[in-house]
Amino acid sequence: MEKIKSQKNIPLLNKTLLFSLVLFIVLTSSKPKVNQIEIPSGFPKITVPEDNPLSEAKIELGKKLFFEKLLSRDSSISCATCHNPKYAFTDGLLKAKGIKEREVTRNTPTLTNIAYNTSFLRDGVNPSLEAQVIVPIHEKNEFDFHILLAAERLKKKKEYVDLSLAAFGEVPNPKVISNAIASYERTLISGNSRYDHFTFQKDSSALSKNELRGMHLFNKHNCVSCHSGFNFTSGEVVNNGLYKDYPDIGKMRVSLDPKDKGAFKVPTLRNVAITAPYMHDGSIKSLEAVIDHYTKGGFENPNKDERIKGMSLSKNDKQDLVAFLKCLTDSSFINR
C-alpha cells in the first residue's frame, strides 16, 4: 500500500518542482524594478524625490490626468495633445498648439526618459518635474488655466476623488495634480531599441554594417561629447549656432546673462527618428538637415559652443549617421 501511495504522489511532486523551477526562472530573468519602474539593462537607477515617492496608485492617477482635458480652460486639450505617445511623446508640429489653436513659442520636447533629467523646459530653467507640470496649465498659449481651478473641477468627479484619496490620502489639489503627473512621467522609460540590444544585451546581429559605421562616425566626430551616455544627452544648456541672432533668447530670458542668449538644452537622441521637426523652434525638418547643420558648423555666434566646429562627411557618411540615429527608435515605447 505504501508503494502505491508513493507512486500516486509522484505527479504532484513533479508539478510542484516544475512550478518552482518556472517561478525561479521568471524571477531571476526579469529586469529589475525600482519604485514600480522597470529599469532597462545598462540604465542607472532613477532618482525619485523624497517628498514624492512612487506608488502604483500615484502612477495610475497621473496617467489618467495626463490624458485629462479638464485641466485646460475650455477642456479641449490635455498633456497628451502635445506629448502624443505615437510620436515618442511629441506632436510632430513645428511649434506646439494650445487651446483655440494658439501657437506656443517652442517645439514640443520628447518625454523619453524624462525621469533622468535634472532640468526641464527647452532652456533648462525649471528645476523639477513636479514644478514643470504646472507650467503648461498656467501658460496662456497652452492650457490658459490655473491649477487651483483645475483641482476644483476634479473635486466634482467621484472617480478623481477616489483615486486621489487612494494615492495621496487627500482630495484633488495642486500638489496631487503635479505629483501624480510627474509620477506617471517618470515611468516613460525607453531602453529597448536595437542599439540597446547591441550594446547592453550583447546581440552582435542587432545592427547592420551601415549602422555600425554610423555609430563609429558619431563617436569619431565627437557628437558624443554633447549626446553622451545611455540617454544620448549631457543635459547641458548650450548655444549650437542655429542662428546668427536668436529671435528666442533661450536661457537668457531667466538668467538675464547675455552669455546665455540662444542657449537651449541638449536633447536626448532616443527615438529621434520620430520626433521631427528638430531644434527648439522646429526649424529643421529632417535628420539629414540636422547633420548638414553640424557638418557646416552652424552660424557664427559669440555664444556658440566651442565643440561645434564643422566636420567633413561624405554622402555615404551622412547616410550611415542617419541609419545609426534610426536604430535608437524603441517601437515598444511608442506602442506602449
Side-chain angles (χ1 to χ4, degrees):
M1 287 294 293
E2 187 62 31
K3 183 177 180 181
I4 296 174
K5 190 175 182 180
S6 297
Q7 288 174 338
K8 285 183 179 181
N9 284 339
I10 288 174
L12 178 62
L13 180 61
N14 288 342
K15 287 179 181 178
T16 302
L17 288 171
L18 180 61
F19 175 78
S20 299
L21 179 60
V22 170
L23 182 62
F24 173 78
I25 292 172
V26 169
L27 290 175
T28 56
S29 64
S30 61
K31 294 176 182 178
K33 272 196 172 185
V34 178
N35 295 320
Q36 288 75 42
I37 299 177
E38 188 175 277
I39 307 299
S41 300
F43 278 42
K45 182 179 177 180
I46 290 169
T47 300
V48 179
E50 290 184 5
D51 60 353
N52 189 25
L54 282 172
S55 71
E56 293 291 351
K58 286 184 184 180
I59 293 167
E60 180 186 0
L61 173 58
K63 183 175 183 179
K64 188 169 178 61
L65 288 171
F66 188 85
F67 292 89
E68 180 55 75
K69 295 181 178 181
L70 285 174
L71 299 184
S72 61
R73 178 177 294 276
D74 61 2
S75 300
S76 64
I77 65 171
S78 68
C79 303
T81 301
C82 294
H83 298 287
N84 189 325
K86 73 177 181 179
Y87 298 118
F89 293 86
T90 64
D91 55 16
L93 300 176
L94 189 77
K95 294 178 181 177
K97 289 186 177 180
I99 68 168
K100 299 179 181 179
E101 295 295 299
R102 295 173 185 169
E103 189 173 74
V104 180
T105 58
R106 295 172 178 172
N107 175 263
T108 299
T110 180
L111 298 184
T112 299
N113 295 335
I114 197 169
Y116 291 101
N117 287 14
T118 55
S119 65
F120 303 86
L121 301 183
R122 279 288 188 181
D123 47 18
V125 299
N126 198 294
S128 76
L129 193 50
E130 283 76 7
Q132 186 278 326
V133 169
I134 301 172
V135 174
I137 296 176
H138 288 187
E139 178 61 42
K140 180 177 176 58
N141 287 345
E142 296 185 58
F143 288 18
D144 190 26
F145 206 32
H146 195 288
I147 196 166
L148 285 169
L149 298 176
E152 290 303 314
R153 280 185 181 176
L154 297 178
K155 286 178 186 177
K156 297 175 183 178
K157 302 287 184 180
K158 183 180 184 302
E159 182 179 15
Y160 277 118
V161 171
D162 291 344
L163 287 170
S164 181
L165 288 170
F168 294 93
E170 304 175 48
V171 297
N173 59 47
K175 184 190 77 173
V176 165
I177 295 171
S178 61
N179 284 15
I181 293 177
S183 294
Y184 167 65
E185 290 180 343
R186 287 193 173 93
T187 71
L188 304 180
I189 303 299
S190 177
N192 192 36
S193 66
R194 288 188 295 108
Y195 167 82
D196 295 301
H197 284 258
F198 177 84
T199 303
F200 299 122
Q201 299 175 30
K202 308 304 179 184
D203 179 1
S204 59
S205 66
L207 300 184
S208 69
K209 289 182 179 178
N210 286 352
E211 290 164 344
L212 287 171
R213 189 166 178 272
M215 182 166 66
H216 170 72
L217 290 167
F218 187 85
N219 293 324
K220 175 184 175 182
H221 290 286
N222 209 29
C223 306
V224 73
S225 66
C226 290
H227 296 286
S228 57
F230 74 100
N231 203 28
F232 289 87
T233 176
S234 62
E236 295 172 275
V237 181
V238 301
N239 181 312
N240 70 346
L242 185 61
Y243 296 108
K244 289 182 179 179
D245 187 28
Y246 279 73
D248 183 335
I249 61 175
K251 187 179 178 181
M252 182 182 166
R253 74 184 178 95
V254 172
S255 73
L256 303 181
D257 186 342
K259 292 180 180 179
D260 288 332
K261 186 176 182 179
F264 294 89
K265 277 191 67 176
V266 175
T268 177
L269 295 184
R270 285 186 171 275
N271 298 304
V272 70
I274 56 171
T275 59
Y278 306 105
M279 305 297 167
H280 69 275
D281 57 356
S283 59
I284 299 185
K285 295 181 179 180
S286 68
L287 289 175
E288 289 81 1
V290 170
I291 290 171
D292 284 340
H293 167 75
Y294 289 112
T295 300
K296 295 171 184 175
F299 289 101
E300 287 305 314
N301 186 290
N303 294 335
K304 187 175 72 171
D305 190 279
E306 62 182 10
R307 290 168 289 187
I308 301 171
K309 300 176 179 178
M311 50 190 171
S312 177
L313 293 175
S314 68
K315 181 179 179 181
N316 287 340
D317 288 341
K318 292 177 182 179
Q319 290 174 345
D320 290 341
L321 267 174
V322 170
F324 170 64
L325 293 173
K326 287 182 177 179
C327 82
L328 302 179
T329 300
D330 178 355
S331 56
S332 63
F333 178 74
I334 300 160
N335 299 317
R336 57 187 289 129

